[in-house]
Amino acid sequence: MKFKILLALVFANLMQAQKFYFPKTATTDSVILEKQIPELALKVITEHQSSKNKPKSTVTFLDNLFRLQLAAKDYKNSITSLADYRKEYADHNMAGNKSLAYEIYSMAKQMEKDKKISFPNALQAAFTTKYESYPDPLIAKIGTILDGDVKEYKKSLKAALDKQKDKDSIDYTSALALCKNYVNYKTYSSIKPQVMQLFKVKEQEKFIIESKNLTLKNGTTLTITVVRKKENTSPLPVILTNNIYAGELVDAGMGKRAAVYNYVGAVVNTRGKRGSNDPNNPFEDEAQDLYEVIDWVSKQPWSNGKVGMIGGSYLGFSQWAAAKKLHPALKTIVPQVSVGIGIDYPAQNNVFMSYMMQWIRYVTNNKLTDEATFTNYPKWDSVNTTWYKSGRSFRALDSISGKPNKIFQRWLDHPGYDKYWQKMVPYKNDFAKINIPVLTTTGYYDADQIGAMYYYKQHHKYNKNPNHYLVIGPYDHAGAQSYGYNYVYGSGSILIDPVARISIDELAFSWFDYILKDGKKPELLKDKVNFQIMNSNTWKHVPDLDKMHSSTLKFYLQDRKDGSSAFEKPKTEQFTKQTIDFKDRDPKYLYHKVSKQDSVNVTHSIHFESEVLDRDIVLSGNLSGVFNVSVNKKDFDSNTLLYQVQPDGKTFLLSTHLTRASYAKDNSKRHFLKPGRKEQIPIKNSFFMSKKIEKGSKLVLLVGVNKSKSWQVNYGTGKNVSDETIKDAGEPLEIKWYNDSYVEIPLYKD
């Protein structure tokens, strides 16, 4: 008993050590706040640098450190930490530019102190120094970085202060968040008006930027922004981007992206954006509208008649929409991380995602983008949680989020890949007519990788000899359409091999030079498929996707209690039974210890482990195979994850696969399972990965059922899943996973 009391006292003292004095008067008095924040920041810095609070990620540590130093008014050290942060974040300044506003502010405050000059003069000098030190490709992007939302930063600061009302102390986590919110508001509110004016002057010295409305033959109005370098007076090829994420600075920045590489940049907004009063129905009109837009830009005096297209995500989808009816002036497209409409968004392999509601509001709430609503992540987490716990139909998600939405409901009316989706992009034989050069970029961590790869595979399926190149590497959705970071963006722990830290922009415009200006083919494009093997620091180049692997390894669903190999077909038929109660909405998270170092989340899954590998292997490609199952319902959504357990015990996620069983064989037609009968579910459209897996590792395979607030819940009745409710749950889902089921792992060997 004494030991327990002593332990409790020690714990209480540790918790107390994490508390800092912060007077409640600071939450309402700005003068007191200005005095207290630097003192608080100094204390937080000490704790931040201690071993118990130091983040595992060096990127995160330095990101927090420079902000804390700014809050502490230690501008000299904040500049040093910012430089260290950029070096850690990326090998070059291009990817580290998101910290630009903080650097300019720190430099200005240090100049104000050292040179005894006014802050406005110091700010002008700091801005000019940084602007003139940047290469043109970076200058094209800094407008949106400097244009921080001061009102939102102020709102976030107030929320952080409100949490401290009636308190005279603050814990470490809250203090760190408060200091960061303070720095965000202080930085942008101090520099934005003057810096944006200075930026505008610099922009006008270098570029001609013009926006106008185009009226199409059917009466539709679209806003287009054209950007040219002043020094370029002769007609040039035009690089066109179709942008739903409209905004004056955003559109100008996308146009400058092309102009700095000595092209004319043209950015057209979708219907309902900026100067357009037409209905905004995302994805539905590009295939019709872009033909006329391309026709218009190709005939302007600043155009030499050649048009290329570029852009990522929705902007990548737009290029495939434009290719459905090719204009003769469109000579090449560079679709990056392309949304596969109806393929991987708003449903992945026919399973609708909750995120679709958040995105629809983002792009349709006004004529620009509703950033405040979109980035209100606590709100959307609450919306999705409320829906999930309520057991209401997925159709109710729009009402739960605030109000009914016609677009959301219309999408849900098309659970299969039917004509509604097919008409938006090339379909089957449409791909045979696409004979222009194409460069696709995507990444192993790209949320739209399945979409990007769908277009690539369909183009090769229906066109006998497509001039289509693919670059795929360790990039996420942002990295595969911009610059090579040192880490997978946001992770801070998945280190990218040095050879993969490339500028996707430089690759894209080298491609445009090659196609539109008779330049040299980019060095990286040694063959049609160019992929980077993680953990090997090498790129490989092969003529087609099938050559990404040279053999396969079948991983069978067997428990191996008899010492058998996971990679050998079982001699006798057995099964592992799994039960899922859809009525249970209590979020119980279950973990399985796969090593002394790490666990994996096995909630709603069963797991299978391989033996320890006795040699290095290179996993390269995407998972295939078949699940042999017997279920007591007509349908379910299967979820598969493949992990590597490294020799040091840490886990590494290699690939995932989510699919609706009734659509697994044909994504356009639903074929129900027959309860009690052994059925086959093919594994198709999983995520690609290429990674060297070291000797001494083992593989862990998780198979199970999707039951999450992030996706629809499929109760298995055979109704449209969007209409099912918890009342349809009935008896728990029972699945027999037969041991002759296997996941086929693709292996590469030179």
Side-chain angles (χ1 to χ4, degrees):
M1 184 67 181
K2 287 182 180 179
F3 176 74
K4 288 183 178 179
I5 293 172
L6 180 62
L7 192 63
L9 287 170
V10 170
F11 180 74
N13 287 334
L14 284 172
M15 292 300 290
Q16 189 63 36
Q18 290 284 310
K19 296 269 188 179
F20 309 105
Y21 170 69
F22 188 74
K24 55 191 173 187
T25 51
T27 63
T28 55
D29 190 319
S30 60
V31 175
I32 297 174
L33 179 66
E34 287 289 319
K35 181 177 182 297
Q36 290 295 325
I37 283 289
E39 295 178 12
L40 177 65
L42 286 171
K43 296 172 186 174
V44 177
I45 287 171
T46 301
E47 289 295 323
H48 182 63
Q49 293 175 320
S50 68
S51 58
K52 64 176 178 289
N53 287 317
K54 198 168 184 177
K56 292 180 181 179
S57 163
T58 306
V59 172
T60 302
F61 172 76
L62 291 169
D63 188 293
N64 288 337
L65 181 60
F66 84 70
R67 294 170 198 271
L68 287 169
Q69 289 167 334
L70 265 173
K73 298 185 177 181
D74 184 1
Y75 304 116
K76 187 175 181 179
N77 280 321
S78 74
I79 293 168
T80 301
S81 297
L82 269 162
D84 292 341
Y85 164 76
R86 280 199 312 273
K87 288 176 186 175
E88 185 70 26
Y89 188 71
D91 283 342
H92 47 78
N93 201 32
M94 301 298 285
N97 66 76
K98 70 173 188 173
S99 60
L100 176 62
Y102 304 100
E103 186 172 16
I104 289 173
Y105 178 68
S106 295
M107 290 171 62
K109 295 301 288 186
Q110 192 64 39
M111 286 183 192
E112 180 185 29
K113 177 183 177 182
D114 293 345
K115 297 184 178 181
K116 304 293 190 291
I117 57 176
S118 68
F119 181 73
N121 288 341
L123 184 58
Q124 181 171 353
F127 171 81
T128 302
T129 299
K130 289 306 299 180
Y131 186 94
E132 293 179 352
S133 71
Y134 280 168
D136 281 356
L138 183 53
I139 286 173
K141 297 177 180 290
I142 65 175
T144 52
I145 295 166
L146 298 175
D147 187 38
D149 193 332
V150 176
K151 287 183 180 179
E152 283 302 310
Y153 289 141
K154 187 175 184 179
K155 190 188 296 184
S156 297
L157 175 59
K158 184 179 183 302
L161 290 170
D162 286 346
K163 289 181 180 179
Q164 293 305 124
K165 278 187 176 179
D166 303 319
K167 299 177 185 176
D168 274 326
S169 65
I170 185 170
D171 62 71
Y172 168 79
T173 302
S174 298
L176 175 61
L178 175 59
C179 288
K180 290 169 69 174
N181 280 308
Y182 172 83
V183 164
N184 289 341
Y185 173 66
K186 187 73 174 177
T187 297
Y188 281 94
S189 63
S190 298
I191 74 168
K192 183 177 174 179
Q194 185 181 348
V195 161
M196 292 309 293
Q197 187 176 7
L198 292 167
F199 169 72
K200 199 78 174 177
V201 171
K202 289 287 188 183
E203 188 178 60
Q204 289 170 350
E205 290 174 357
K206 197 175 191 70
F207 302 101
I208 299 170
I209 302 175
E210 301 171 303
S211 291
K212 64 170 291 180
N213 289 336
L214 296 180
T215 301
L216 307 184
K217 291 175 183 177
N218 62 6
T220 296
T221 298
L222 304 176
T223 298
I224 189 165
T225 301
V226 178
V227 184
R228 295 172 286 151
K229 260 188 183 179
K230 281 188 173 180
E231 66 188 54
N232 291 329
T233 56
S234 300
L236 292 169
V238 180
I239 305 303
L240 175 66
T241 298
N242 181 76
N243 184 30
I244 197 171
Y245 306 108
E248 183 180 346
L249 280 170
V250 173
D251 296 332
M254 289 182 176
K256 285 184 287 184
R257 179 190 191 186
V260 296
Y261 285 99
N262 296 308
Y263 290 88
V264 175
V267 181
V268 64
N269 300 123
T270 58
R271 295 188 190 186
K273 293 296 184 178
R274 294 186 69 177
S276 172
N277 293 319
D278 296 280
N280 178 1
N281 293 306
F283 299 102
E284 293 187 6
D285 302 306
E286 272 75 2
Q288 177 182 348
D289 293 349
L290 286 171
Y291 189 92
E292 283 191 59
V293 174
I294 293 167
D295 189 69
W296 182 83
V297 299
S298 69
K299 294 175 180 177
Q300 298 310 299
W302 30 258
S303 169
N304 71 356
K306 296 180 180 180
V307 180
M309 291 187 73
I310 193 172
S313 197
Y314 189 102
L315 289 60
F317 142 81
S318 300
Q319 296 169 66
W320 287 110
K324 191 173 180 74
K325 182 186 176 184
L326 273 175
H327 190 286
L330 184 59
K331 304 300 183 183
T332 184
I333 59 174
V334 182
Q336 302 165 321
V337 297
S338 305
V339 171
I341 188 63
I343 299 295
D344 72 346
Y345 180 83
Q348 186 178 122
N349 294 331
N350 302 94
V351 184
F352 282 106
M353 58 187 72
S354 304
Y355 168 76
M356 63 194 278
M357 191 66 254
Q358 182 180 357
W359 185 86
I360 290 169
R361 301 275 194 227
Y362 177 47
V363 298
T364 64
N365 277 0
N366 57 51
K367 289 195 172 189
L368 302 176
T369 50
D370 189 350
E371 300 288 341
T373 296
F374 182 71
T375 57
N376 188 351
Y377 302 117
K379 173 203 168 175
W380 289 107
D381 182 68
S382 175
V383 166
N384 296 339
T385 300
T386 299
W387 161 73
Y388 178 76
K389 288 188 174 181
S390 74
R392 294 172 65 184
S393 73
F394 193 70
R395 281 196 187 275
L397 186 65
D398 58 350
S399 297
I400 292 171
S401 72
K403 58 183 177 181
N405 186 278
K406 291 180 180 178
I407 297 167
F408 177 75
Q409 295 297 332
R410 184 158 66 245
W411 288 0
L412 296 185
D413 288 338
H414 300 277
Y417 191 65
D418 59 16
K419 290 181 180 179
Y420 173 74
W421 308 109
Q422 293 165 11
K423 70 180 180 182
M424 298 180 190
V425 288
Y427 181 64
K428 291 190 175 180
N429 288 327
D430 292 338
F431 283 99
K433 303 170 188 176
I434 302 174
N435 291 314
I436 60 172
V438 181
L439 172 61
T440 288
T441 61
T442 184
Y444 306 138
Y445 302 94
D446 170 23
D448 280 309
Q449 183 208 101
I450 290 174
M453 298 304 292
Y454 166 79
Y455 296 120
Y456 185 86
K457 289 183 283 188
Q458 291 292 296
H459 196 192
H460 283 76
K461 180 177 180 179
Y462 291 100
N463 191 309
K464 292 182 179 179
N465 189 29
N467 187 7
H468 192 157
Y469 285 77
L470 170 69
V471 172
I472 182 169
Y475 313 120
D476 65 358
H477 196 59
Q481 57 179 316
S482 54
Y483 305 109
Y485 305 104
N486 289 6
Y487 298 85
V488 174
Y489 184 75
S491 80
S493 58
I494 302 177
L495 187 64
I496 294 174
D497 290 345
V499 296
R501 300 170 195 172
I502 63 173
S503 166
I504 299 294
D505 263 17
E506 289 178 8
L507 172 66
F509 283 93
S510 293
W511 170 267
F512 285 133
D513 288 347
Y514 169 53
I515 301 299
L516 300 175
K517 295 181 178 179
D518 297 321
K520 183 181 177 183
K521 186 167 73 171
E523 182 67 23
L524 181 62
L525 305 182
K526 290 184 170 63
D527 215 324
K528 291 294 179 69
V529 176
N530 306 276
F531 62 100
Q532 202 268 318
I533 301 176
M534 296 179 67
N535 199 31
S536 74
N537 202 34
T538 57
W539 283 91
K540 296 297 179 182
H541 315 274
V542 293
D544 57 64
L545 277 182
D546 289 341
K547 297 296 191 298
M548 273 190 75
H549 66 273
S550 49
S551 62
T552 59
L553 190 63
K554 290 182 178 179
F555 190 140
Y556 288 92
L557 306 192
Q558 54 181 322
D559 57 26
R560 297 185 54 245
K561 288 179 181 177
D562 58 359
S564 59
S565 169
F567 307 125
E568 294 179 2
K569 187 175 181 178
K571 295 177 181 178
T572 58
E573 181 180 273
Q574 296 178 350
F575 59 80
T576 302
K577 189 174 181 179
Q578 183 183 16
T579 303
I580 302 290
D581 185 359
F582 287 115
K583 293 178 183 177
D584 183 5
R585 285 296 194 269
D586 185 18
K588 299 171 184 174
Y589 297 104
L590 304 174
Y591 291 86
H592 174 71
K593 198 81 172 172
V594 294
S595 70
K596 292 181 180 179
Q597 178 80 12
D598 250 337
S599 299
V600 292
N601 185 344
V602 295
T603 309
H604 312 313
S605 298
I606 52 178
H607 76 279
F608 301 91
E609 296 184 20
S610 78
E611 58 266 42
V612 174
L613 301 176
D614 60 4
R615 58 187 173 88
D616 291 348
I617 62 172
V618 175
L619 182 155
S620 188
N622 66 331
L623 306 180
S624 57
V626 64
F627 291 133
N628 294 307
V629 300
S630 173
V631 300
N632 63 337
K633 294 180 184 285
K634 293 181 179 180
D635 202 6
F636 76 102
D637 296 342
S638 72
N639 194 29
T640 306
L641 301 95
L642 180 68
Y643 286 91
Q644 172 194 4
V645 180
Q646 299 172 154
D648 63 3
K650 293 180 180 178
T651 58
F652 191 102
L653 182 60
L654 295 168
S655 183
T656 64
H657 178 251
L658 172 68
T659 195
R660 180 149 295 159
S662 59
Y663 281 108
K665 292 178 181 177
D666 184 343
N667 67 356
S668 65
K669 295 179 182 177
R670 199 173 186 193
H671 299 276
F672 294 119
L673 306 179
K674 292 189 177 180
R677 178 187 291 186
K678 186 176 179 181
E679 304 251 17
Q680 283 198 337
I681 301 173
I683 302 169
K684 299 187 293 185
N685 294 330
S686 62
F687 276 82
F688 278 75
M689 167 66 73
S690 187
K691 183 178 187 290
K692 176 185 174 183
I693 297 175
E694 308 93 329
K695 173 184 176 181
S697 299
K698 64 179 176 179
L699 300 178
V700 173
L701 183 65
L702 270 60
V703 296
V705 177
N706 170 60
K707 182 189 170 191
S708 162
K709 65 185 177 183
S710 299
W711 304 87
Q712 287 177 310
V713 176
N714 184 353
Y715 295 92
T717 65
K719 297 179 184 177
N720 184 331
V721 175
S722 297
D723 297 321
E724 291 180 319
T725 72
I726 202 166
K727 293 178 182 178
D728 294 303
E731 62 183 355
L733 172 69
E734 291 185 353
I735 309 178
K736 295 177 181 177
W737 298 91
Y738 285 90
N739 61 351
D740 58 350
S741 303
Y742 61 87
V743 170
E744 201 157 8
I745 299 168
L747 303 180
Y748 177 83
K749 189 174 182 180
D750 283 317

